[in-house]
């Protein structure tokens, strides 16, 4: 298992890992791709309450992760 470290706004692009958050550049790129997909979907749906959409996604992810570990 590994612990998720959020972005600290001190991004570096040299080497294999960001010196700001410690995540690998591959992990960061994959997460950015997932987030871009969610933003594109929300735009396609023309949600006027984007914050509620983001909160709903967060709750769904947490629920599915907990469900997988039961």
């Amino acid at each position: 298992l590994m612990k998720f470290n959020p972005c600290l706004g001190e991004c570096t692009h040299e080497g294999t890992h960001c010196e700001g958050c410690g995540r690998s550049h591959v992990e960061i790129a994959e997460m950015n791709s997932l987030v871009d997909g969610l933003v594109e979907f929300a735009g396609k749906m023309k949600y006027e309450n984007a914050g509620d959409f983001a909160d709903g996604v967060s709750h769904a992810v947490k629920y599915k992760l907990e469900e997988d570990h039961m």
Side-chain angles (χ1 to χ4, degrees), residues 3-28:
K3 184 177 177 183
F4 173 76
N5 294 313
C7 178
L8 303 173
E10 302 170 5
C11 304
T12 61
H13 302 287
E14 297 78 33
T16 60
H17 289 73
C18 173
E19 291 183 28
C21 66
R23 293 185 291 149
S24 76
H25 295 298
V26 171
E27 177 187 353
I28 293 167

Side-chain angles (χ1 to χ4, degrees), residues 1-67:
L1 294 175
M2 73 184 220
K3 184 177 177 183
F4 173 76
N5 294 313
C7 178
L8 303 173
E10 302 170 5
C11 304
T12 61
H13 302 287
E14 297 78 33
T16 60
H17 289 73
C18 173
E19 291 183 28
C21 66
R23 293 185 291 149
S24 76
H25 295 298
V26 171
E27 177 187 353
I28 293 167
E30 288 185 30
M31 186 169 169
N32 286 343
S33 179
L34 292 167
V35 170
D36 289 347
L38 289 168
V39 169
E40 182 179 335
F41 177 78
K44 184 170 72 173
M45 295 293 108
K46 298 182 178 169
Y47 292 140
E48 62 183 42
N49 56 339
D52 290 338
F53 169 73
D55 290 342
V57 169
S58 173
H59 289 292
V61 169
K62 289 177 189 176
Y63 175 80
K64 288 188 177 275
L65 288 170
E66 290 170 2
E67 188 177 75

